[in-house]
Amino acid sequence: MERHWYQDAIIYHVFSPSIANASFENDYREQKHTFAVFEKWLPHIKKLGCNTVLFSPILKARSHGYDVTDYFTIDNRIGTNEEFKDLVRLYHENGVKVLLDSVFNHCGRDFFAFKELQNGNRDFAEWFSGVDFGHQSPLGDDFTYDTWSGHFSLPKFNLHSEKVRGYLFDALSFWISEFDIDGMRLDAANTLDFGFMRDLRRAALDMKPDFWLMGEVVHGDYTRWVNENTLHSVTNYILYKALFSSHNDNNLYELAHAVQNSQPQNGLPLYNFIDNHDQPRIASNIGSPGFLKTLHALLFTLPGIPSVYYGSEWGIQGKAIPGSDAPLRPYIDIENPPGDETWLCSYIKKLADVRRQSNALKYGAYRQISLEYQKPYVFERAFGDERVYIAVNIGGQGETVNLAAHMSGSFTDLMSGEPKSSSDAASIAIDPMSARILSTC
């Protein structure tokens, strides 16, 4: 079976306006040049073991970045197109793929077609869904329109319009042909028209055969979006929720059920995460700091593509406050990070090394081996002749598991590199709040 680069991806997720220390509101007057800061993050990203970076969001917008003003221009609060092109080239030269965040479901009110509509040019009504000149919008427009989730600052595109489709497909082509980006995250993909996504997939394939399309989807049957006709991957919110709540509730049955539920084909290449720019920092979302070890072990060993959200490798805290997600998206000075080279950074790097060297962890089938109430969760990842067994103990006391029935020969502890004899398989010790990753290959 043909393999693609994104199946080997370990993603580092950056919230670009925060890295650039950009103002929240954009008056479009000042052109900033901050990509030198993004260059300074590259050694850290590589040292952490990540080989792909997701820049979220980075297109010209009025405020938070998902109210896009221009789909062909880097946000002036961050830098210029030419500077971004140089940054992509630098990341590529260092073996790091680049993903661009965009939103094809809606735009901002400063988008040119919406401004034309506001100015009375009804020819642009077809660009937007649900335009009704019989009513005013809550923001005082002489018409109303469909939105994303009731937010009238985010007019919804009419994706059946050939003009809209042509514009968005041209934007995709622009970032691929001019900047050589490797993939795109589609915001609010759960609300996108499926016909549009099928055409987008075909267009991307023609432009760059290994281009990766990943969509933001919260609920539903992921196979509707992830298949050979629509998207390559979606955000695995089912697993995300189960990862932290199963730890907090000391109920790994919830996690095991979620793995089966989010992986109905036993191997969807879903985008796995334990926090992001919309969710609390993982260190603020768990009952014990010790869970950071087992959560990251699971992130890197369960089926799917792991992603680390910038700053969380230092265990920083952050929860949204009423009316603002700013605490989830802080500015971090990479030359003075919030902590020294912590144990968690080193632990993530080791997990990345282990994953990179294991085909079973990257591509292998999943099988649950053992799970009892308040006992270790044990599962297998298998690919070809390689078998990797992961045993996770989230309890406050040490445990042992017996894998003699599964590991008849010698095996290796992948985290320590220590070889083990077959007799050791009958009594594998797992420290409190820790994991063992064992390979028979």
Side-chain angles (χ1 to χ4, degrees):
M1 181 182 297
E2 183 182 3
R3 296 292 168 191
H4 301 280
W5 68 264
Y6 41 82
Q7 293 171 284
D8 297 340
I10 299 172
I11 298 172
Y12 194 78
H13 180 194
V14 169
F15 195 77
S16 306
S18 296
I19 293 299
N21 204 17
S23 60
F24 182 76
E25 291 291 337
N26 189 359
D27 60 12
Y28 307 118
R29 294 177 183 174
E30 186 176 5
Q31 177 64 64
K32 293 289 188 71
H33 305 278
T34 70
F35 278 122
V37 176
F38 291 72
E39 293 181 17
K40 292 178 181 178
W41 278 79
L42 179 56
H44 171 71
I45 292 170
K46 291 179 62 180
K47 185 176 181 180
L48 206 60
C50 298
N51 56 18
T52 306
V53 65
L54 167 60
F55 291 119
S56 291
I58 203 166
L59 300 180
K60 190 174 184 179
R62 166 60 77 175
S63 59
H64 47 65
Y66 295 102
D67 50 350
V68 178
T69 299
D70 186 342
Y71 283 76
F72 291 80
T73 306
I74 293 296
D75 199 303
N76 58 287
R77 294 170 293 178
I78 299 175
T80 68
N81 281 17
E82 286 303 312
E83 291 165 347
F84 182 63
K85 185 179 294 185
D86 290 341
L87 185 75
V88 174
R89 184 182 304 113
L90 176 65
Y91 273 62
H92 281 170
E93 289 172 354
N94 280 270
V96 179
K97 301 286 188 180
V98 175
L99 309 175
L100 187 73
D101 199 352
S102 191
V103 49
F104 287 177
N105 176 71
H106 54 264
C107 62
R109 285 169 58 85
D110 291 342
F111 182 67
F112 84 95
F114 193 80
K115 299 298 287 185
E116 288 284 346
L117 192 56
Q118 286 180 311
N119 291 333
N121 189 344
R122 295 195 176 192
D123 289 342
F124 283 86
E126 73 165 280
W127 280 69
F128 302 98
S129 174
V131 173
D132 179 0
F133 292 101
H135 298 85
Q136 284 193 336
S137 78
L139 299 183
D141 305 295
D142 293 332
F143 55 92
T144 190
Y145 48 91
D146 292 338
T147 67
W148 176 79
S149 196
H151 296 278
F152 279 83
S153 61
L154 302 173
K156 182 176 174 60
F157 281 128
N158 171 21
L159 294 178
H160 297 289
S161 164
E162 289 302 320
K163 292 180 180 178
V164 174
R165 293 159 71 92
Y167 177 90
L168 295 176
F169 287 3
D170 284 349
L172 176 69
S173 176
F174 175 72
W175 294 107
I176 293 175
S177 62
E178 296 295 322
F179 299 80
D180 196 27
I181 65 168
D182 302 289
M184 182 173 285
R185 174 192 180 271
L186 300 174
D187 191 68
N190 59 297
T191 61
L192 288 175
D193 175 73
F194 280 90
F196 173 81
M197 282 189 284
R198 285 191 290 270
D199 291 344
L200 185 69
R201 172 73 173 263
R202 286 193 290 268
L205 179 64
D206 290 341
M207 297 174 197
K208 191 171 185 177
D210 64 347
F211 193 78
W212 189 56
L213 289 171
M214 184 270 288
E216 180 196 27
V217 174
V218 178
H219 305 295
D221 176 0
Y222 291 149
T223 60
R224 296 181 62 207
W225 290 272
V226 183
N227 53 64
E228 62 182 12
N229 297 313
T230 48
L231 305 180
H232 299 90
S233 184
V234 294
T235 51
N236 194 352
Y237 269 92
I238 294 174
L239 184 66
Y240 158 73
K241 166 62 169 59
L243 278 166
F244 73 82
S245 64
S246 65
H247 279 65
N248 288 340
D249 296 339
N250 197 10
N251 180 15
L252 289 175
Y253 283 98
E254 177 188 358
L255 176 59
H257 176 76
V259 173
Q260 296 289 1
N261 193 34
S262 68
Q263 294 284 342
Q265 296 177 341
N266 195 20
L268 289 179
L270 301 181
Y271 177 92
N272 292 344
F273 59 97
I274 51 179
D275 53 6
N276 63 27
H277 63 294
D278 291 324
Q279 303 300 325
R281 290 283 178 168
I282 188 60
S284 295
N285 219 13
I286 51 176
S288 170
F291 291 154
L292 290 174
K293 178 174 280 190
T294 48
L295 281 165
H296 281 90
L298 288 162
L299 177 67
F300 278 81
T301 57
L302 284 169
I305 299 168
S307 176
V308 176
Y309 184 46
Y310 85 107
S312 286
E313 67 269 31
W314 291 293
I316 68 172
Q317 302 273 332
K319 285 190 174 184
I321 58 177
S324 175
D325 288 329
L328 311 177
R329 311 164 180 178
Y331 169 73
I332 295 176
D333 181 358
I334 189 58
E335 295 182 303
N336 295 284
D340 298 324
E341 181 68 10
T342 65
W343 70 267
L344 185 54
C345 286
S346 300
Y347 190 65
I348 291 172
K349 180 184 185 302
K350 184 59 182 178
L351 288 168
D353 290 343
V354 166
R355 180 183 175 86
R356 187 166 49 250
Q357 296 165 17
S358 170
N359 287 336
L361 292 179
K362 290 184 289 188
Y363 322 126
Y366 163 89
R367 182 168 66 102
Q368 182 177 310
I369 298 297
S370 174
L371 179 60
E372 298 179 35
Y373 182 60
Q374 297 188 351
K375 292 293 182 181
Y377 168 39
V378 184
F379 58 94
E380 175 195 76
R381 301 295 308 281
F383 183 84
D385 295 332
E386 184 185 6
R387 298 289 185 273
V388 177
Y389 295 90
I390 300 92
V392 179
N393 175 24
I394 67 171
Q397 61 184 21
E399 299 280 355
T400 60
V401 294
N402 185 345
L403 292 178
H406 304 279
M407 299 192 298
S408 57
S410 61
F411 59 96
T412 302
D413 184 318
L414 294 182
M415 294 296 284
S416 68
E418 184 180 359
K420 299 287 185 179
S421 66
S422 57
S423 60
D424 294 322
S427 183
I428 297 171
I430 318 172
D431 290 335
M433 296 184 186
S434 67
R436 301 290 299 273
I437 305 174
L438 311 168
S439 174
T440 62
C441 184

